[in-house]
Tab-separated table of all heavy atoms in Angstrom:
chain	number	residue	atom	x	y	z
A	122	ALA	N	-23.324	20.681	7.505
A	122	ALA	CA	-24.106	21.101	8.672
A	122	ALA	C	-23.237	21.753	9.736
A	122	ALA	O	-23.591	22.768	10.302
A	122	ALA	CB	-24.880	19.893	9.201
A	123	ALA	N	-22.092	21.130	10.007
A	123	ALA	CA	-21.254	21.627	11.125
A	123	ALA	C	-20.502	22.912	10.789
A	123	ALA	O	-20.295	23.752	11.674
A	123	ALA	CB	-20.244	20.554	11.525
A	124	GLN	N	-20.092	23.054	9.523
A	124	GLN	CA	-19.269	24.229	9.174
A	124	GLN	C	-20.020	25.532	9.386
A	124	GLN	O	-19.424	26.589	9.595
A	124	GLN	CB	-18.752	24.138	7.723
A	124	GLN	CG	-19.824	24.100	6.611
A	124	GLN	CD	-20.348	25.449	6.225
A	124	GLN	OE1	-19.632	26.431	6.255
A	124	GLN	NE2	-21.648	25.506	5.849
A	125	ALA	N	-21.348	25.523	9.344
A	125	ALA	CA	-22.128	26.755	9.566
A	125	ALA	C	-21.838	27.324	10.963
A	125	ALA	O	-21.738	28.548	11.125
A	125	ALA	CB	-23.619	26.447	9.423
A	126	HIS	N	-21.656	26.416	11.939
A	126	HIS	CA	-21.333	26.885	13.303
A	126	HIS	C	-19.875	27.353	13.360
A	126	HIS	O	-19.579	28.341	14.031
A	126	HIS	CB	-21.538	25.726	14.295
A	126	HIS	CG	-22.974	25.307	14.388
A	126	HIS	ND1	-23.910	25.987	15.140
A	126	HIS	CD2	-23.640	24.254	13.840
A	126	HIS	CE1	-25.102	25.397	15.074
A	126	HIS	NE2	-24.960	24.339	14.272
A	127	MET	N	-18.980	26.640	12.650
A	127	MET	CA	-17.555	26.971	12.714
A	127	MET	C	-17.289	28.314	12.065
A	127	MET	O	-16.545	29.136	12.605
A	127	MET	CB	-16.727	25.876	12.053
A	127	MET	CG	-16.873	24.507	12.711
A	127	MET	SD	-15.916	23.249	11.790
A	127	MET	CE	-16.463	21.754	12.549
A	128	THR	N	-17.857	28.533	10.896
A	128	THR	CA	-17.577	29.767	10.159
A	128	THR	C	-18.156	30.971	10.920
A	128	THR	O	-17.555	32.042	10.923
A	128	THR	CB	-18.109	29.714	8.723
A	128	THR	OG1	-19.493	29.372	8.735
A	128	THR	CG2	-17.354	28.683	7.875
A	129	LYS	N	-19.279	30.773	11.574
A	129	LYS	CA	-19.870	31.841	12.355
A	129	LYS	C	-18.965	32.196	13.503
A	129	LYS	O	-18.791	33.366	13.899
A	129	LYS	CB	-21.227	31.383	12.866
A	129	LYS	CG	-22.027	32.444	13.622
A	129	LYS	CD	-23.374	31.917	14.081
A	129	LYS	CE	-24.126	32.967	14.867
A	129	LYS	NZ	-25.417	32.452	15.386
A	130	ALA	N	-18.348	31.177	14.128
A	130	ALA	CA	-17.472	31.426	15.312
A	130	ALA	C	-16.066	31.871	14.869
A	130	ALA	O	-15.311	32.405	15.678
A	130	ALA	CB	-17.355	30.138	16.118
A	131	GLY	N	-15.721	31.655	13.591
A	131	GLY	CA	-14.391	32.019	13.108
A	131	GLY	C	-13.281	31.078	13.556
A	131	GLY	O	-12.092	31.393	13.531
A	132	TRP	N	-13.669	29.837	13.924
A	132	TRP	CA	-12.710	28.822	14.350
A	132	TRP	C	-13.314	27.448	14.164
A	132	TRP	O	-14.453	27.190	14.542
A	132	TRP	CB	-12.353	29.019	15.806
A	132	TRP	CG	-11.085	28.251	16.284
A	132	TRP	CD1	-9.857	28.812	16.377
A	132	TRP	CD2	-10.994	26.913	16.667
A	132	TRP	NE1	-8.961	27.847	16.805
A	132	TRP	CE2	-9.654	26.664	17.011
A	132	TRP	CE3	-11.893	25.840	16.776
A	132	TRP	CZ2	-9.162	25.444	17.460
A	132	TRP	CZ3	-11.445	24.591	17.233
A	132	TRP	CH2	-10.072	24.412	17.575
A	133	GLY	N	-12.543	26.545	13.561
A	133	GLY	CA	-13.037	25.184	13.396
A	133	GLY	C	-11.972	24.238	12.931
A	133	GLY	O	-10.932	24.643	12.383
A	134	ARG	N	-12.231	22.946	13.183
A	134	ARG	CA	-11.307	21.891	12.788
A	134	ARG	C	-12.141	20.740	12.183
A	134	ARG	O	-13.022	20.186	12.855
A	134	ARG	CB	-10.499	21.345	13.965
A	134	ARG	CG	-9.660	22.396	14.691
A	134	ARG	CD	-8.429	22.717	13.888
A	134	ARG	NE	-7.469	23.541	14.602
A	134	ARG	CZ	-7.373	24.877	14.450
A	134	ARG	NH1	-8.204	25.490	13.617
A	134	ARG	NH2	-6.476	25.564	15.118
A	135	ILE	N	-11.883	20.424	10.912
A	135	ILE	CA	-12.524	19.259	10.302
A	135	ILE	C	-11.438	18.235	10.039
A	135	ILE	O	-10.382	18.499	9.424
A	135	ILE	CB	-13.211	19.662	8.985
A	135	ILE	CG1	-14.321	20.691	9.265
A	135	ILE	CG2	-13.806	18.456	8.267
A	135	ILE	CD1	-14.788	21.497	8.031
A	136	ILE	N	-11.681	16.988	10.499
A	136	ILE	CA	-10.721	15.927	10.397
A	136	ILE	C	-11.389	14.727	9.779
A	136	ILE	O	-12.371	14.198	10.346
A	136	ILE	CB	-10.081	15.594	11.791
A	136	ILE	CG1	-9.449	16.834	12.357
A	136	ILE	CG2	-9.080	14.440	11.635
A	136	ILE	CD1	-9.421	16.907	13.873
A	137	ASN	N	-10.946	14.367	8.594
A	137	ASN	CA	-11.573	13.254	7.863
A	137	ASN	C	-10.728	12.007	7.872
A	137	ASN	O	-9.494	12.091	7.742
A	137	ASN	CB	-11.817	13.692	6.412
A	137	ASN	CG	-12.787	14.897	6.307
A	137	ASN	OD1	-13.779	14.895	7.007
A	137	ASN	ND2	-12.461	15.813	5.426
A	138	LEU	N	-11.352	10.846	8.041
A	138	LEU	CA	-10.614	9.614	8.063
A	138	LEU	C	-10.563	9.043	6.629
A	138	LEU	O	-11.599	8.691	6.061
A	138	LEU	CB	-11.245	8.614	8.993
A	138	LEU	CG	-10.751	8.606	10.439
A	138	LEU	CD1	-9.328	8.087	10.511
A	138	LEU	CD2	-10.823	10.032	11.039
A	139	SER	N	-9.345	8.972	6.106
A	139	SER	CA	-9.088	8.303	4.856
A	139	SER	C	-8.526	6.932	5.200
A	139	SER	O	-8.923	6.328	6.199
A	139	SER	CB	-8.128	9.130	3.966
A	139	SER	OG	-7.833	8.486	2.752
A	140	SER	N	-7.639	6.377	4.395
A	140	SER	CA	-7.069	5.071	4.656
A	140	SER	C	-5.893	4.822	3.654
A	140	SER	O	-5.842	5.444	2.602
A	140	SER	CB	-8.128	3.985	4.422
A	140	SER	OG	-7.536	2.652	4.378
A	141	THR	N	-4.984	3.944	4.054
A	141	THR	CA	-3.951	3.530	3.076
A	141	THR	C	-4.620	2.851	1.888
A	141	THR	O	-4.003	2.754	0.792
A	141	THR	CB	-2.953	2.580	3.720
A	141	THR	OG1	-3.657	1.486	4.357
A	141	THR	CG2	-2.102	3.303	4.768
A	142	SER	N	-5.870	2.376	2.019
A	142	SER	CA	-6.578	1.817	0.902
A	142	SER	C	-6.810	2.784	-0.215
A	142	SER	O	-7.097	2.386	-1.356
A	142	SER	CB	-7.930	1.210	1.367
A	142	SER	OG	-7.702	0.095	2.173
A	143	ALA	N	-6.701	4.085	0.077
A	143	ALA	CA	-6.822	5.142	-0.971
A	143	ALA	C	-5.770	4.953	-2.036
A	143	ALA	O	-5.943	5.365	-3.205
A	143	ALA	CB	-6.696	6.533	-0.358
A	144	LEU	N	-4.672	4.251	-1.705
A	144	LEU	CA	-3.580	3.992	-2.672
A	144	LEU	C	-3.869	2.767	-3.522
A	144	LEU	O	-3.075	2.396	-4.403
A	144	LEU	CB	-2.278	3.831	-1.926
A	144	LEU	CG	-1.906	4.992	-1.031
A	144	LEU	CD1	-0.681	4.660	-0.179
A	144	LEU	CD2	-1.632	6.248	-1.869
A	145	GLY	N	-4.996	2.083	-3.246
A	145	GLY	CA	-5.382	0.868	-3.926
A	145	GLY	C	-5.299	-0.335	-3.004
A	145	GLY	O	-4.280	-0.470	-2.270
A	146	ASN	N	-6.321	-1.161	-3.017
A	146	ASN	CA	-6.331	-2.388	-2.180
A	146	ASN	C	-7.232	-3.407	-2.796
A	146	ASN	O	-8.417	-3.157	-2.954
A	146	ASN	CB	-6.741	-2.058	-0.754
A	146	ASN	CG	-6.365	-3.139	0.233
A	146	ASN	OD1	-5.370	-3.837	0.013
A	146	ASN	ND2	-7.111	-3.251	1.285
A	147	ARG	N	-6.626	-4.516	-3.175
A	147	ARG	CA	-7.389	-5.598	-3.831
A	147	ARG	C	-8.619	-5.983	-3.071
A	147	ARG	O	-8.626	-6.194	-1.857
A	147	ARG	CB	-6.451	-6.809	-3.965
A	147	ARG	CG	-6.970	-7.971	-4.727
A	147	ARG	CD	-5.890	-9.053	-4.758
A	147	ARG	NE	-6.377	-10.284	-5.404
A	147	ARG	CZ	-6.355	-10.522	-6.725
A	147	ARG	NH1	-5.887	-9.587	-7.536
A	147	ARG	NH2	-6.827	-11.662	-7.206
A	148	GLY	N	-9.766	-6.048	-3.774
A	148	GLY	CA	-11.031	-6.446	-3.167
A	148	GLY	C	-11.755	-5.264	-2.515
A	148	GLY	O	-12.803	-5.477	-1.843
A	149	GLN	N	-11.246	-4.057	-2.687
A	149	GLN	CA	-11.855	-2.879	-2.019
A	149	GLN	C	-12.045	-1.732	-3.007
A	149	GLN	O	-11.790	-0.577	-2.632
A	149	GLN	CB	-11.019	-2.423	-0.840
A	149	GLN	CG	-11.105	-3.341	0.389
A	149	GLN	CD	-10.590	-2.667	1.652
A	149	GLN	OE1	-9.569	-1.947	1.579
A	149	GLN	NE2	-11.258	-2.865	2.737
A	150	VAL	N	-12.498	-1.995	-4.168
A	150	VAL	CA	-12.616	-0.910	-5.172
A	150	VAL	C	-13.561	0.175	-4.650
A	150	VAL	O	-13.331	1.400	-4.901
A	150	VAL	CB	-13.017	-1.442	-6.538
A	150	VAL	CG1	-14.447	-1.955	-6.611
A	150	VAL	CG2	-12.802	-0.403	-7.638
A	151	ASN	N	-14.628	-0.197	-3.945
A	151	ASN	CA	-15.561	0.799	-3.402
A	151	ASN	C	-14.919	1.599	-2.270
A	151	ASN	O	-14.962	2.809	-2.276
A	151	ASN	CB	-16.867	0.124	-2.963
A	151	ASN	CG	-16.656	-1.122	-2.069
A	151	ASN	OD1	-15.531	-1.490	-1.763
A	151	ASN	ND2	-17.749	-1.763	-1.712
A	152	TYR	N	-14.346	0.871	-1.316
A	152	TYR	CA	-13.721	1.500	-0.149
A	152	TYR	C	-12.515	2.374	-0.564
A	152	TYR	O	-12.344	3.480	-0.089
A	152	TYR	CB	-13.278	0.430	0.819
A	152	TYR	CG	-12.775	0.873	2.161
A	152	TYR	CD1	-13.666	1.274	3.147
A	152	TYR	CD2	-11.418	0.882	2.428
A	152	TYR	CE1	-13.218	1.643	4.402
A	152	TYR	CE2	-10.947	1.243	3.690
A	152	TYR	CZ	-11.824	1.650	4.659
A	152	TYR	OH	-11.384	2.007	5.902
A	153	SER	N	-11.709	1.860	-1.470
A	153	SER	CA	-10.561	2.624	-1.980
A	153	SER	C	-10.988	3.936	-2.670
A	153	SER	O	-10.406	4.992	-2.449
A	153	SER	CB	-9.725	1.775	-2.936
A	153	SER	OG	-9.192	0.659	-2.307
A	154	ALA	N	-12.016	3.854	-3.467
A	154	ALA	CA	-12.547	5.028	-4.179
A	154	ALA	C	-13.045	6.035	-3.158
A	154	ALA	O	-12.845	7.250	-3.257
A	154	ALA	CB	-13.645	4.642	-5.160
A	155	ALA	N	-13.783	5.559	-2.140
A	155	ALA	CA	-14.356	6.422	-1.101
A	155	ALA	C	-13.261	7.098	-0.286
A	155	ALA	O	-13.287	8.311	-0.040
A	155	ALA	CB	-15.271	5.625	-0.167
A	156	LYS	N	-12.204	6.344	0.034
A	156	LYS	CA	-11.123	6.861	0.885
A	156	LYS	C	-10.238	7.814	0.068
A	156	LYS	O	-9.676	8.776	0.646
A	156	LYS	CB	-10.327	5.739	1.522
A	156	LYS	CG	-11.110	4.972	2.610
A	156	LYS	CD	-11.655	5.905	3.663
A	156	LYS	CE	-12.108	5.191	4.927
A	156	LYS	NZ	-12.735	6.122	5.900
A	157	ALA	N	-10.074	7.580	-1.209
A	157	ALA	CA	-9.366	8.503	-2.048
A	157	ALA	C	-10.176	9.794	-2.209
A	157	ALA	O	-9.689	10.911	-2.161
A	157	ALA	CB	-9.043	7.919	-3.415
A	158	GLY	N	-11.475	9.616	-2.358
A	158	GLY	CA	-12.378	10.758	-2.432
A	158	GLY	C	-12.319	11.662	-1.177
A	158	GLY	O	-12.402	12.877	-1.261
A	159	MET	N	-12.147	11.039	-0.026
A	159	MET	CA	-12.024	11.822	1.228
A	159	MET	C	-10.819	12.787	1.175
A	159	MET	O	-10.882	13.868	1.771
A	159	MET	CB	-11.895	10.882	2.425
A	159	MET	CG	-13.118	10.076	2.760
A	159	MET	SD	-14.493	11.087	3.389
A	159	MET	CE	-14.194	10.916	5.147
A	160	GLN	N	-9.787	12.373	0.458
A	160	GLN	CA	-8.599	13.242	0.356
A	160	GLN	C	-8.876	14.465	-0.498
A	160	GLN	O	-8.530	15.609	-0.120
A	160	GLN	CB	-7.395	12.437	-0.113
A	160	GLN	CG	-7.035	11.315	0.823
A	160	GLN	CD	-5.739	10.626	0.488
A	160	GLN	OE1	-4.956	11.128	-0.334
A	160	GLN	NE2	-5.472	9.473	1.075
A	161	GLY	N	-9.522	14.245	-1.641
A	161	GLY	CA	-9.862	15.403	-2.502
A	161	GLY	C	-10.890	16.303	-1.795
A	161	GLY	O	-10.801	17.542	-1.907
Side-chain angles (χ1 to χ4, degrees):
Q124 62 82 33
H126 295 281
M127 298 177 190
T128 54
K129 184 178 177 184
W132 196 96
R134 301 284 188 261
I135 297 161
I136 301 150
N137 297 319
L138 269 291
S139 180
S140 168
T141 53
S142 292
L144 305 171
N146 198 28
R147 185 178 175 86
Q149 286 196 321
V150 69
N151 49 1
Y152 187 78
S153 296
K156 290 307 195 183
M159 290 292 265
Q160 298 188 15

